[in-house]
Amino acid sequence: MSPRTTTPAAPRGGAARPRRAARARAAALRNQLMQSVFLPLRQDRTARLDYAAILDGHTVNLHARLPVSAGLPESAEVVLSRGRRTYTAEATVYAGPDGETLVDAVVLLGAEVGGAPAGPGRWRLRLRLRSGRRTRTVPLLLLAPPVPYEGPTRPMTASSVTGERHRLGRSFRGSARVVSTGARPAAEVVKVHLTHAGITVDFRLLGTRADRPWAEFVASGRRLEQPVTGPAPGTLRVEVPLDRMPPRGKRPDHWDVVLCDAGGRRFRLGRRLHDVRNPLRVFAMRSLAITPPGLPPMIVQPRYTPAGNLRVTCTRMPEAG
């Protein structure tokens, strides 16, 4: 019998590399076409965006340069449209230091923040210019998508109010778009209150509903079920007494908090709608030394993991043995 030959397994991630390379080549070709073909053809009929970003997950900031043919309009507004749905936002138009015409605008997204109720989909961004009775609408040209910046904070990928996600995109010809998607199903922590008796966690649901929910505090080999109440509209609450969470040995016990419902869904409670890169440090909470009745002293430390999940660490005090 001849020995069986085996084909070495492909290294993990090997299948993704060709896809990434293909996307990079497509993006490079698209930029080349845009710079060499579309931009020269459209520069006299479009407003060029020198700056475009969504800073807090739902506020679009725009700074554009109008074509020379537009002159200096009396007023301008941003038009956000998808199909028959159209929303407008005022813009400021003024002459720049070199005689060019510039436009600044801020567009709020989401009815909850007083802005346009832009639901899921791709929304066109254009400028409507007015001079006397004359009205002209021009596309907004986005030559390059916003580049993520470095530092202690990062761009918001979702609205901290609604959880809905908005990003800037562009058409094949370079026209700016706002691409909106709904909130990811999540249980977002609002407040953590720690006392000598127990922990109270207030949270809200985003992008989902819970049918007859309850919460579980889960550590290695341990599980505590606790009821969920609704102290205020849109807010849910779970409480757990600390005398049910003593560490079983000298090593700490790390408790995660999970929301469960009758439909079998499970969501880890956490804080993710923010722009900080290190939630463990920025959202640090105080620790508390307690002695539950009939139990050794312990230190309780609520905190957030690098992924934003809420975790409660219970550690036996060294002097307790």
Side-chain angles (χ1 to χ4, degrees), residues 193-254:
H193 185 55
L194 175 64
T195 69
H196 285 269
I199 297 176
T200 300
V201 183
D202 289 344
F203 61 98
R204 58 194 176 109
L205 290 179
L206 298 170
T208 188
R209 299 177 63 182
D211 180 22
R212 301 190 301 277
W214 72 91
E216 294 180 352
F217 287 73
V218 182
S220 179
R222 305 172 69 183
R223 187 180 304 273
L224 303 176
E225 290 190 8
Q226 292 294 113
V228 169
T229 61
T235 301
L236 299 174
R237 172 175 293 174
V238 60
E239 302 176 81
V240 64
L242 290 176
D243 59 9
R244 300 186 63 191
M245 305 171 66
R248 294 174 296 181
K250 294 183 179 181
R251 300 181 64 180
D253 277 357
H254 303 289

Side-chain angles (χ1 to χ4, degrees), residues 271-288:
R271 188 170 180 181
R272 303 176 185 86
L273 299 182
H274 56 75
D275 62 353
V276 304
R277 297 187 186 274
N278 190 343
L280 176 61
R281 176 178 299 177
V282 176
F283 300 135
M285 291 175 275
R286 68 185 181 96
S287 60
L288 189 64

Side-chain angles (χ1 to χ4, degrees), residues 66 69-79 86-94 101 103 126-138:
L66 294 185
S69 60
L72 182 61
E74 295 176 1
S75 63
E77 62 184 1
V78 176
V79 180
T86 299
Y87 307 99
T88 60
E90 292 186 5
T92 301
V93 58
Y94 57 98
T101 303
V103 175
R126 293 173 295 169
L127 275 178
R128 183 179 292 156
L129 312 174
R130 287 191 175 90
S131 295
R133 295 184 177 180
R134 183 184 176 189
T135 300
R136 178 184 179 184
T137 301
V138 296

